[in-house]
Amino acid sequence: QVQLVESGGGLVQAGGSLRLSCAASGRTFSVSSMGWFRQAPGKEREFVAAITWTGGNTYYADTVKGRFTVSRDNAKNTVYLQMNSLKPEETAVYYCAAKRASIGLYHLRGLYDYWGQGTQVTVSS
């Protein structure tokens, strides 16, 4: 089992920045990649970004490219999501997730094995 705990959410004005953290514990050696997803009220959970655990390769949804940056600190078993130029429509609960399988398709939430509890991000206009 892998446990994931997100932190760093909060209230920010449009155009502002936040950095989310996701601390992993447990059988982290089994994890091949980590992803960030978000879910707004009444909407499906959508892919935001992902990073491979060893190589550090990154992947982004088109809507966040150039504004969000995903990174990891292997020594701390922690993944980060730096979010800049936030928009009100990006208000959502942000989740981190861990995937064991080393195949790609990082945007498919069904391929992730472990999920955190989520952290609320609210962007005011």
Side-chain angles (χ1 to χ4, degrees):
Q1 290 288 334
V2 174
Q3 294 78 42
L4 303 173
V5 178
E6 303 100 332
S7 61
L11 174 65
V12 64
Q13 288 189 332
S17 300
L18 279 177
R19 189 177 83 152
L20 305 182
S21 300
C22 175
S25 61
R27 299 171 63 88
T28 56
F29 59 85
S30 67
V31 172
S32 67
S33 58
M34 300 284 291
W36 285 98
F37 290 75
R38 63 189 179 192
Q39 188 168 19
K43 295 189 176 182
E44 290 193 354
R45 193 169 299 187
E46 65 174 4
F47 171 73
V48 176
I51 186 167
T52 58
W53 200 245
T54 53
N57 298 318
T58 57
Y59 307 87
Y60 297 94
D62 288 342
T63 53
V64 307
K65 280 181 182 177
R67 298 186 298 117
F68 289 15
T69 303
V70 60
S71 61
R72 89 263 191 253
D73 184 333
N74 288 22
K76 295 182 178 180
N77 284 338
T78 300
V79 174
Y80 304 97
L81 184 67
Q82 176 67 43
M83 306 185 294
N84 298 329
S85 302
L86 282 161
K87 306 173 183 179
E89 55 266 36
E90 295 180 310
T91 293
V93 177
Y94 283 70
Y95 298 88
C96 74
K99 181 156 71 77
R100 292 178 297 181
S102 58
I103 59 175
L105 304 175
Y106 300 98
H107 63 289
L108 295 181
R109 63 178 186 267
L111 295 182
Y112 288 80
D113 302 286
Y114 308 103
W115 292 83
Q117 82 288 350
T119 185
Q120 176 71 45
V121 171
T122 302
V123 185
S124 64
S125 57

